[in-house]
């Protein structure tokens, strides 16, 4: 988006990511000794994007070379709340807006998307308040990211990003732990694709019961030889199977998909056994009354004819990687059918191969498997679970609504790393203040003390924590102030408290009012 030679240098520096100072092209050589101070820091590390903070410094430094003034571009927001004039002085993330074409319009939230997101979902963002930018357009100051299967890199998360939402249940393609460290909530859409996945699980049961795929392929072969009519009755005995009624179906994981699958399997006349150590009340209410609950995975699968795994994939010690391994598979019935529409990594392929080689079982999976892809007793599908128009619409709509509520109200729901938090609508004569901090003793006291010193009264507040993160939402009263009230100073005081990661004032124009503590530097 830069004009003239500035575009040339921007491309050289950011795309190569390793341009030493001596290699800077003309006409910038003459400026290299008078660059913005932050460029010295950048040059030491040779423009390595090792963290969000350094990436921000790099971008700011590169832009400083194309202008003679290093003063931050400022935007002043002046709004009236009742009879009180509110002045919130905020900046444009250190970017020189005048140099950039097609920059985000003032007063709009910018949503950067990766992958193709359902139009029905994107329609949840009203155009008067939101701009949608695809990945091909570099979102210089995106406020939120919306994605499906794209494997998100930290370098793609600008310092201005407040939230990330995945249109789907799993978040393996998002560096959740790192985002937590940076104070960025990651959202998913549990249940949005449950019906689509459930239907494919039921399809998998039928595929595993009758050699339907083998029969189809055989008929194609006979058809190519002109022998289909002659051989069809004789050869059908090669593809015999069994019925579902009266068979035992084990469901491992009774969340949205598992509970729904158990209910429909019961309706087909199957005897359902379930296992879920974290069964929620909501999911329990969806289960068929006849279900038997087991106390372990092994006890659930021992007598099962069909086994469906519906649990999340969690890496690391105590996680679920390879949870369906030798110890579990050795307890399968010889002709058991394993259905994996959750995650490929949950199943130990080596152990599964031994079972398929020695027994007459089946493995139906919706994920690539380098070992079992061509096994005669396995059926590998191309990750079709949520690939329906309805599921994509539902997931995108849920993700968009979640992002909207977070940006406009500070509400946290369906987050995989932040505590669920919701405060009633902001009173008419109040400004909403949101703070993300490390979950340390005394933090809330420091935050409220800053408001007290500024003679600001908190009308309502909520403080929740989850693991290492604490999240605060406060509505600050402005009715007793008859002069110009600036939140800039109190926000800086709070943001620069040790342990605070970011703060946000939800008031006035969309997208403004955000501040971060970047390694001791105040970023607004």
């Amino acid at each position: 988006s830069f004009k003239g030679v500035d575009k040339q240098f921007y491309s050289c520096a950011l795309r190569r990511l390793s341009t030493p100072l001596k290699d800077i092209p003309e006409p910038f050589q003459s400026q290299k000794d008078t660059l913005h101070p932050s460029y010295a820091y950048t040059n030491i590390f040779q423009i390595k994007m090792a963290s969000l903070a350094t990436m921000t410094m790099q971008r700011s430094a590169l832009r400083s070379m194309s202008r003679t003034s290093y003063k931050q571009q400022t935007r002043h927001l002046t709004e009236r709340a009742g009879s009180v004039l509110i002045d919130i002085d905020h900046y444009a993330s250190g970017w020189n807006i005048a140099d950039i074409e097609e920059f985000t319009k003032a007063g709009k939230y910018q949503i950067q998307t990766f992958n193709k997101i359902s139009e029905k979902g994107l329609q949840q963002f009203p155009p008067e308040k939101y701009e949608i930018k695809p990945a091909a357009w570099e979102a210089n100051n995106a406020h939120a990211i919306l994605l499906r299967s794209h494997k998100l890199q930290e370098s793609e998360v600008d310092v201005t990003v407040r939230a990330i939402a995945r249109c789907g249940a799993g978040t393996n393609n998002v560096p959740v732990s790192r985002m937590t460290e940076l104070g960025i909530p990651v959202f998913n859409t549990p249940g949005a694709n449950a019906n689509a996945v459930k239907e494919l699980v039921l399809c998998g049961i039928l595929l595993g019961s009758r050699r339907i795929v083998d029969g189809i392929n055989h008929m194609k072969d006979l058809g190519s030889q002109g022998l289909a009519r002659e051989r069809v009755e004789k050869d059908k005995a090669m593809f015999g199977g069994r019925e579902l009624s009266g068979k035992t179906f084990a469901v491992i994981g009774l969340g949205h998909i598992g509970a729904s699958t158990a209910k429909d399997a019961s309706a087909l006349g199957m005897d359902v056994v379930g296992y879920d150590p974290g069964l929620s009340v909501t999911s329990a209410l969806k289960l068929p009354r006849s279900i038997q609950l087991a106390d372990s995975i092994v006890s659930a699968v021992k007598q099962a004819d069909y086994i469906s795994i519906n649990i999340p994939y969690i890496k690391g010690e105590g996680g679920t990687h390879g949870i369906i391994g030798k110890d579990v598979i050795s307890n399968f019935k010889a002709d058991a059918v394993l259905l994996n529409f959750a995650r490929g990594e949950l199943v130990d392929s080596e152990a599964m191969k031994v079972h398929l080689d020695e027994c007459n079982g089946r493995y139906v999976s919706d994920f690539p498997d380098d070992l079992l892809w061509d096994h005669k007793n396995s059926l590998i599908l191309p990750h079709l679970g949520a690939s329906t128009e309805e599921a994509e619409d539902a997931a995108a709509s849920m993700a968009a609504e979640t992002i909207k509520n977070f940006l406009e109200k500070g509400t946290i729901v369906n987050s995989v790393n932040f505590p669920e938090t919701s405060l009633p609508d902001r009173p008419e004569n109040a400004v909403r203040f949101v703070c993300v901090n490390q979950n340390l003793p005394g933090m809330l006291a420091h935050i409220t003390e800053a408001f007290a010193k500024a003679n600001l009264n908190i009308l309502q507040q909520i403080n929740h924590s989850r693991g290492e993160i604490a999240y605060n939402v406060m509505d600050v009263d402005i009715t007793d102030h008859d002069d110009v009230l600036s939140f800039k100073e109190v926000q800086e005081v709070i943001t620069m408290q040790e342990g605070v990661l970011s703060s946000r004032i939800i008031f006035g124009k969309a997208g403004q009012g955000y501040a971060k503590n970047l390694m001791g530097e105040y970023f607004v």
Side-chain angles (χ1 to χ4, degrees), residues 30 43 194 229 246 248 271 465 504:
S30 60
N43 189 45
R229 292 183 182 277
T248 301
D271 298 324
S465 62
R504 189 158 58 102

Side-chain angles (χ1 to χ4, degrees), residues 354-375:
V354 172
H355 175 73
L356 296 178
D357 287 343
E358 298 177 353
C359 306
N360 192 37
R362 303 281 189 276
Y363 180 48
V364 184
S365 174
D366 200 26
F367 303 94
D369 194 304
D370 294 337
L371 185 62
L372 301 173
W373 66 273
D374 64 344
H375 196 286

Side-chain angles (χ1 to χ4, degrees), residues 229-238:
R229 292 183 182 277
E230 178 184 340
R231 298 273 299 275
V232 63
E233 292 300 326
K234 180 180 178 180
D235 290 1
K236 69 180 182 181
M238 299 165 55

